[in-house]
Amino acid sequence: MSMPDKQKITRALISVSDKNGLAEFAKQLAGYGVEILSTGGSAKKLAEAGIKVIEVGDYTGFPEMMDGRVKTLHPKIHGGLLQRRDLKEHQAAAKKHDIPPIDLVVVNLYPFRKTVAKGGDFETCVENIDIGGPAMIRAAAKNHDFVTVVTDPAQYDSVLAELKAHKGATTLAFRKQLAAAAYAHTAAYDAAIGSWFAAQLGKEYPEQIAFAARRRQSLRYGENPHQTAAFYVADEMRAGIASAIQIQGKELSYNNLNDTDAAFELVSEFADQPAVVIIKHANPCGVALGPDLLTAYKRALACDPVSAFGGIIACNRPLDGATAKAIADLFAEVIIAPDCDNEAKEILAAKKNLRVLLTHKMADPHVVDKVIKSVAGGYLVQSRDNLVLDPANLKCVTKRQPTKAEKRDLIFAFTVAKHVKSNAIVYVKNQATVGIGAGQMSRVDSARIAARKAEDAAESAGLKESLTKDSAVASDAFFPFADGLLAAVEAGATSVIQPGGSVRDKEVIEAADKAGLAMLFTGMRHFRH
């Protein structure tokens, strides 16, 4: 028996938890003369819509039982799904046991992830683990040569278009596409269950781990034009780039997404005062607090106005007209903020290519979740760097204690350093960055580069001296030698914050005392690679 490319739909099995669009879809199927089998709530929904439906229990001659745990796990169902129409042995067995073929399966699964998200207890979550649904989906997908499998209401329109184009039949190419989507669907479902179960057992890093995400958009290219890329989002979206709504501008690129994420994560560290972050190549080139958003923006821009060109701007307050007008004078790629007033929208609308993203809330810097990085042949998985500096845990190791203003700036500087690529050195004055050194192989080089950039910014602003004079400086990790500290002293810093923990801490402390610095140890480092 030859295998046809087109398979006419004569019998369908429908069992869904998401009933959006179901009645209209089933009516269209009935219009092609399709016999419809269904279960429980789906059957009731279809009957109420006036659609002729055969209950699965009546079809199999075996009643639904055990609170619905057993209803479709029956040879008449799975024999109908798995029988090959091109094998005589299969057809003989089907005839002998009275197992008609099922050509279409429409199944989406118990809402396990929604149940977990709503805080369901252990027993409730377990009851929302679907068994029969994945079995039917996988059976239909395996036998895609003959069976069409639908797992998402979003697929209904394409299925109906296929049936219309082929007079009630589907093509093999179409069935293969749906089969691939079906396996991805059950894989994501099982990944969610596996992650949840491991968490229930307190296994932060289980022996096997799976991740699931849905493609939001295909990107024009990756970091470079010769690289391909796409943007995927997880079910549990952290506030930020994945949850944001784009209200204007060009399509976001791979680099835009990466940089905007870095910007929003950093600006979310500051809740008590208006804050603005300017990011370039995933590193901040300006961060500042202010009594209002406009002041914070101007102070952030002053840190490095050259690097800010073509940068990403993040705000922790709704964008207002005055701030939008100031930003419009700069060429920026993206603005991300929790909201945006009408005046700001009107001003930014003139910059048609500028992407504007609204998140409606800020990210929680304390959240406990995982960060994943691919390496050749595998993945590195770690917990997010969610430690937020507690002033009570700071230890002054020098003879001179920092002043209240210095301590405030030191805490701000160390918070920024957490989001700067290592080796990171950050100079701060009056809760605004004035010099940032990032990504250098030597910590002393980062200190010198940050100081040099501060000198350039001061010169372009017409100032007589660098803003690093009388500044606070933060290092993301300990100073392995006193040279990095001395470079900060040379730049004019009067106070330092660093993790401590070097075998040469004594030498570094002595150098700080000799220079009259106040130095705090945090006991935590913030490497960022």
Side-chain angles (χ1 to χ4, degrees), residues 111-112 146 218 406 450 484:
F112 174 78
F146 308 98
S218 295
E406 284 176 327

Side-chain angles (χ1 to χ4, degrees), residues 487-510:
V489 171
E490 186 178 338
T494 61
S495 58
V496 183
I497 187 168
Q498 59 138 318
S502 168
V503 294
R504 293 185 175 85
D505 274 350
K506 183 178 178 182
E507 174 187 325
V508 175
I509 293 169
E510 288 174 352

Side-chain angles (χ1 to χ4, degrees), residues 303-330:
C303 177
D304 189 353
V306 174
S307 297
F309 182 83
I312 310 293
I313 299 171
C315 309
N316 71 344
R317 296 288 190 275
L319 190 64
D320 58 84
T323 308
K325 185 176 181 180
I327 293 174
D329 292 334
L330 174 78

